[in-house]
Amino acid sequence: MLPQELPVSPGEWPRSVGPLTLSLPDPAGIDAVLRWRNDPSVTRWLIQTRVDPESLKQEWLSSLTSPLQHVVIARLGDEVVASGSLWIVDGMGQIHGDPEAYSSREAGIDYLVDPRFRGRGFASLIAQTMLGLAFDELHLHRVTAGCFADNLASRRILEKSAMRLEQYGVRDSWHADHGWLDGCIYAMLAEEWGSPQA
């Protein structure tokens, strides 16, 4: 059950975030992301290490009409440098309770950056934008993001965004090259959302 107030494409797009212009996905932008999406330096810490280009294109274009999935493509000038995603899920709730209270009230977020543009704060900008989208525009209750514990760069991004480490799982996450590794889940509640840490 989906609350009626959830818009398909909240807010105005494109929008400027620091030096980046964030826009909804379009075929040219998706093609640009696909040029580096399956690069081993990008997929090293991803759960989904490879994507089928046509499937990704179809999924991202379908997000334009879905209130449950939101994808943005980040450009620096004319260059596509990153992407971000937010997907809405049901919170845990007693089946005898009011499903409106927990249905479609939580989200997960992720971000990808072209390896040529790492280290410039773009992932942090996207993570903060997705949190703002979740809380300020979609009025969600909670947002989570997961990563391998050894992915220190991603952990720094989530901590800089003021998300709290909520779960540290010991050898709970399978890595194709390294076997069982520790995993982390970061989270933020709507009432915790505010100005990210400097």
Side-chain angles (χ1 to χ4, degrees), residues 22-165:
L22 302 184
S23 61
L24 298 177
D26 58 81
I30 297 169
D31 285 341
V33 169
L34 284 167
R35 284 195 275 279
W36 46 264
R37 167 56 178 84
N38 287 333
D39 184 297
S41 69
V42 174
T43 63
R44 178 180 180 211
W45 293 117
L46 298 183
I47 297 298
Q48 190 173 6
T49 53
R50 291 197 61 77
V51 295
D52 173 68
E54 286 308 311
S55 296
L56 181 74
K57 188 177 288 189
Q58 182 178 13
E59 179 185 340
W60 282 15
L61 290 175
S62 70
S63 75
L64 296 171
T65 57
S66 171
L68 299 179
Q69 183 173 358
H70 303 274
V71 177
V72 296
I73 291 176
R75 288 177 171 85
L76 182 66
D78 294 330
E79 190 91 38
V80 171
V81 299
S83 68
S85 298
L86 178 150
W87 57 95
I88 298 173
V89 298
D90 291 346
M92 187 172 75
Q94 292 182 325
I95 59 172
H96 296 9
D98 176 9
E100 287 289 325
Y102 59 84
S103 294
S104 302
R105 302 306 300 150
E106 297 191 14
I109 61 168
D110 67 17
Y111 38 81
L112 295 172
V113 176
D114 182 331
R116 298 173 301 151
F117 294 92
R118 284 192 185 133
R120 298 172 65 172
F122 296 160
S124 291
L125 289 173
I126 292 169
Q128 292 162 15
T129 298
M130 301 318 274
L131 288 168
L133 181 67
F135 295 128
D136 296 334
E137 298 177 53
L138 295 169
H139 309 292
L140 300 179
H141 166 66
R142 172 180 151 88
V143 173
T144 62
C147 64
F148 287 102
D150 289 343
N151 186 352
L152 300 180
S154 195
R155 294 182 67 182
R156 281 192 296 271
I157 289 160
L158 299 173
E159 289 164 4
K160 183 177 180 182
S161 298
M163 296 184 79
R164 94 186 99 70
L165 177 61

